[in-house]
Amino acid sequence: MSLEIAFMQLFNGVSLFTILLLMALGLAIVFGLMGVINMAHGELMALGAYVTYLTALAFQAVAPGAMEIYLFVAIPMAFGVTFLFGYVLEKGFICWFYNRPLDTLLATWGLSLILQQAYRSIFGAQEVSVPLPTWLTGAWEPVDGIQLPLNRIFIIGLTIVVAVSVYLLLYRTRWGLRMRAVTQNRAMSAAVGIDTKKVDARTFALGSGLAGIAGAVFTMVGSTNPGTGQLYIVDSFIVVVFGGVQSLIGTVMSAFAIAQTQTSLEYLLSGSLAKATILLLVIVVLYFRPNGLFAVKQRS
Amino acid sequence: MKLTREATEYLTVGLLAAVLLAFTMTLDPFRLNNVGKYLSFGFVAIGIVLTWGYGGVLSLGQGIFFGLGGYMMAMFLKLEASAPELPDFMVWSGIEALPVWWEPFYSLPITLVLIHLIPAVGAYLFAYAIFRKRVSGVYFAIVTLALAMTMTVLIVGAQSTIGGANGITDFRTFLGMDIVDDASKMVLYVLQVLVLFTVMLAALKLTNSRLGKILIAIRDKEDRVRFSGYNTAHVKAAVFALAAVLSAMGGAFYSLQTGLIAPSLIGVVASVEMVIYAAVGGRLSVPGAVVGAILIGFLKSYLSETFPEYWLYFLGSIFIFVVLFMPKGLAGFFDRLRVGRALGGEAR
């Protein structure tokens, strides 16, 4: 294997890593920290993708000259809309199911079916895609033989921004402090005067908003259809569970491990065999470390 | 006369079997065949009642075992249909010799043994390993979900040896008997109802036995059962294996009834749908699970043909409604009526 191929493999791995991480970050907060198992998380990603699509349409209609920068509007829009949707969802739906994990699983699965059908009724069953701004098409060629697609580089940058923001939000703000307090000890947090219900709703909304950003990113690498969310939900759960719930750094590491293994395997095996191998590997690792690869030791 | 809960259950099972047999006289062959198709999911639903309702173990991967049973039966039928040639999809992909692991399926007895043996052993070993590590609840559900996904990915990827995304289809004889004509469909249906009846009786027997009590105890407080000296991982794995066998039986009947088995019938979405059959019928009721499978199956055919755009709305709402308002499903509803009457209309 030549050096160029090795480098491209590494880059592909990093690129997949950032996409997996974006997908899993929201879930790591909703499922990992809050313990809410939201099977409709994939549909929230699809919502973000559709919001991006709508923003692109709006730009095309109103300000075709500004198409170059529509992403900078679309990504915050995707975040904002799914954030609000998540907030409403928590207030009106999820809050009925706390402490009933298996019921939550089934009810949110039902919700995901309803959302899928809603997307199908509104946007049609066919795939929709958005035009890429010209500055994101093409590839950067630092040396001969190595081509790095610009959209992938953009996604890597975006992921870094998002991950750092989430870190700062959770660990450097009052809001994040309350979130962590409530997820670690609900009763005690309530006792010291934190409005736990409000924190729950906001935390869930934040996780949903992150799903929206992931959805916006999907439009840059592929097209969107009503079933898009379902494709990614199992992968996202695998990343979070593999990394160890309650551990955001675990999610990062696990996304990286899975992405690098998957791209290397895809180079050696067929795509489906690589995918199956990954899933089986994860199951085997979970057998030896039931709490995930990077579980934090704590009292339950 | 006041019936005990146990007697009522046996009575319901008998009644259900009688109604299902009566269908042979009232329904036309096409509809009968459809009911037969729903009944194959009834087997799966009974398994889910045992593991989820009684054992508290939710598996989102029952489609795996349904698929194992369905595929093994289809492999047998396909070999018979294409003998002495290779199955058509192998010929199209340029395969020249039958893969070794197809060989056993030339023989019906071996096929039937394997349909029961492979899911049982596989499910037991897998589940015992997982449960011994005290992985349970949501994590077990997600692991089974991942397995269901793995299975479909593998099958779809193996176009040349197992038919890929198209699945296995185009078989019409069973031991030389034509299985698409009406008379043999009738025979098949009656056979299936009789097997289902036996399975329902056995499942009821199990839930009313000591083992059933231990299962309930494990569901409600596993630690205490463990402290009392039971190997709870073994009990849960054994019941999971039983559910796997039931799913495989259902899958085998499905292949026979519909002449088709494909990855889309056994994947993640299909596996989660199987849970809703049991949930609608009542996760604690054996006959309820079968009724749930028939009811949802019928509504699925009816709605997705007449109002295709409403089917998913409906199914999604059912999931939410059952979880929120009818945690014990239809069976719970009838139970309340019965108890209500027994107490002189005084609701509990």
Side-chain angles (χ1 to χ4, degrees):
Chain A
M1 194 156 73
S2 70
L3 205 62
E4 282 91 22
I5 296 179
F7 186 78
M8 280 307 293
Q9 276 302 118
L10 191 70
F11 178 78
N12 285 340
V14 171
S15 172
L16 183 63
F17 156 61
T18 53
I19 293 175
L20 279 182
L21 182 59
L22 272 182
M23 275 164 38
L25 257 185
L27 203 67
I29 290 175
V30 169
F31 173 55
L33 293 184
M34 296 178 75
V36 172
I37 176 153
N38 181 14
M39 297 303 280
H41 195 79
E43 276 60 43
L44 294 176
M45 295 184 204
L47 180 65
Y50 279 120
V51 169
T52 312
Y53 166 70
L54 287 181
T55 315
L57 286 188
F59 264 77
Q60 255 164 357
V62 181
M67 268 311 274
E68 293 290 295
I69 55 150
Y70 87 93
L71 269 180
F72 294 100
V73 179
I75 293 173
M77 279 287 285
F79 176 79
V81 171
T82 42
F83 183 93
L84 282 180
F85 188 80
Y87 192 86
V88 174
L89 193 62
E90 202 281 340
K91 282 283 179 202
F93 188 80
I94 302 289
C95 64
W96 296 14
F97 297 105
Y98 282 112
N99 296 323
R100 291 160 63 191
L102 293 182
D103 288 349
T104 319
L105 197 160
L106 293 177
T108 51
W109 182 271
L111 180 72
S112 82
L113 296 181
I114 293 175
L115 287 176
Q116 277 172 39
Q117 188 56 48
Y119 298 150
R120 198 164 290 135
S121 306
I122 299 169
F123 300 101
Q126 74 282 20
E127 311 225 308
V128 299
S129 53
V130 298
L132 220 55
T134 45
W135 54 274
L136 277 182
T137 49
W140 180 47
E141 205 169 342
V143 289
D144 266 352
I146 290 183
Q147 293 189 328
L148 308 178
L150 287 172
N151 58 346
R152 301 275 174 163
I153 296 178
F154 179 80
I155 294 172
I156 294 174
L158 180 70
T159 308
I160 295 173
V161 171
V162 170
V164 170
S165 314
V166 169
Y167 170 79
L168 291 178
L169 184 70
L170 278 178
Y171 291 93
R172 292 287 181 272
T173 64
R174 299 288 296 179
W175 189 21
L177 185 66
R178 287 198 197 104
M179 265 187 216
R180 285 182 294 130
V182 170
T183 51
Q184 279 172 21
N185 193 329
R186 177 170 302 271
M188 208 56 200
S189 312
V192 296
I194 297 175
D195 184 346
T196 58
K197 283 194 175 149
K198 203 159 148 191
V199 172
D200 280 338
R202 283 186 183 171
T203 314
F204 189 86
L206 174 68
S208 308
L210 290 172
I213 295 183
V217 164
F218 289 158
T219 62
M220 282 184 253
V221 288
S223 45
T224 311
N225 67 51
T228 299
Q230 208 144 41
L231 282 179
Y232 299 110
I233 186 72
V234 179
D235 285 322
S236 313
F237 269 107
I238 294 286
V239 171
V240 176
V241 171
F242 186 60
V245 285
Q246 303 242 317
S247 157
L248 282 181
I249 197 73
T251 303
V252 177
M253 306 291 264
S254 117
F256 187 76
I258 290 179
Q260 286 298 348
T261 322
Q262 183 159 338
T263 43
S264 321
L265 283 177
E266 269 170 5
Y267 181 77
L268 302 169
L269 309 164
S270 74
S272 61
L273 216 53
K275 177 95 196 173
T277 315
I278 288 283
L279 288 169
L280 290 177
L281 266 180
V282 166
I283 292 171
V284 170
V285 170
L286 280 180
Y287 171 71
F288 289 106
R289 299 215 40 154
N291 294 319
L293 216 42
F294 305 94
V296 209
K297 277 220 168 68
Q298 58 173 217
R299 289 187 214 165
S300 55
Chain B
M1 189 184 72
K2 193 168 159 294
L3 289 171
T4 60
R5 189 189 146 76
E6 201 179 329
T8 320
E9 284 175 341
Y10 280 108
L11 211 63
T12 320
V13 165
L15 204 65
L16 182 60
V19 170
L20 289 175
L21 285 179
F23 278 166
T24 54
M25 282 171 267
T26 51
L27 293 183
D28 59 73
F30 173 73
R31 274 166 216 268
L32 198 64
N33 186 231
N34 267 348
V35 176
K37 191 168 87 180
Y38 313 147
L39 286 183
S40 350
F41 291 108
F43 286 92
V44 188
I46 295 174
I48 294 175
V49 163
L50 294 179
T51 49
W52 180 39
Y54 282 86
V57 175
L58 178 59
S59 158
L60 297 182
Q62 291 309 96
I64 301 167
F65 308 112
F66 187 82
L68 281 175
Y71 265 97
M72 283 190 261
M73 182 52 91
M75 283 158 81
F76 169 76
L77 295 170
K78 189 71 188 171
L79 281 180
E80 182 180 311
S82 46
E85 309 277 316
L86 288 181
D88 46 14
F89 54 84
M90 291 190 188
V91 177
W92 298 332
S93 330
I95 299 260
E96 313 227 310
L98 196 70
V100 186
W101 47 276
W102 271 75
E103 295 287 348
F105 298 101
Y106 272 119
S107 141
L108 179 65
I110 297 183
T111 306
L112 288 180
V113 169
L114 287 180
I115 283 176
H116 295 86
L117 200 64
I118 293 181
V121 174
Y124 181 84
L125 292 179
F126 162 74
Y128 186 72
I130 299 270
F131 291 142
R132 209 172 54 100
K133 288 282 180 176
R134 304 199 183 165
V135 173
S136 56
V138 175
Y139 296 94
F140 185 76
I142 290 176
V143 169
T144 49
L145 201 63
L147 270 185
M149 192 168 160
T150 314
M151 173 119 166
T152 36
V153 165
L154 279 178
I155 292 178
V156 170
Q159 169 69 43
S160 55
T161 48
I162 196 85
N166 303 326
I168 305 181
T169 181
D170 263 349
F171 36 78
R172 34 183 61 238
T173 55
F174 179 69
L175 295 178
M177 180 177 97
D178 199 328
I179 50 170
V180 277
D181 75 67
D182 292 348
S184 45
K185 288 222 153 156
M186 178 78 89
V187 174
L188 192 62
Y189 177 84
V190 172
L191 176 73
Q192 189 179 6
V193 171
L194 292 180
V195 175
L196 186 65
F197 179 61
T198 320
V199 165
M200 283 197 283
L201 286 184
L204 269 190
K205 191 97 191 142
L206 189 145
T207 56
N208 287 310
S209 68
R210 264 177 74 89
L211 180 59
K213 299 279 179 294
I214 295 168
L215 263 185
I216 294 176
I218 291 176
R219 178 193 69 195
D220 292 342
K221 204 80 193 165
E222 182 165 359
D223 283 341
R224 290 207 186 167
V225 184
R226 197 180 290 128
F227 297 156
S228 317
Y230 286 98
N231 182 353
T232 56
H234 166 70
V235 177
K236 287 202 288 184
V239 173
F240 184 70
L242 181 62
V245 171
L246 293 181
S247 304
M249 288 166 78
F253 273 115
Y254 187 90
S255 288
L256 277 170
Q257 291 274 6
T258 60
L260 164 79
I261 189 81
S264 59
L265 294 164
I266 65 177
V268 170
V269 177
S271 294
V272 181
E273 257 179 44
M274 291 171 189
V275 174
I276 208 62
Y277 299 144
V280 166
R283 63 180 86 163
L284 288 173
S285 164
V286 172
V290 176
V291 173
I294 300 175
L295 197 68
I296 297 288
F298 168 74
L299 284 171
K300 183 176 186 170
S301 313
Y302 175 73
L303 282 176
S304 51
E305 276 158 25
T306 29
F307 312 101
E309 64 273 35
Y310 292 115
W311 160 242
L312 276 185
Y313 284 133
F314 175 79
L315 185 66
S317 317
I318 286 273
F319 267 92
I320 298 167
F321 182 82
V322 164
V323 166
L324 272 183
F325 303 110
M326 284 174 66
K328 285 184 180 167
L330 286 173
F333 181 68
F334 284 110
D335 232 23
R336 255 210 318 260
L337 280 185
R338 193 173 65 87
V339 171
R341 251 205 327 267
L343 297 176
E346 214 176 299
R348 266 186 307 163

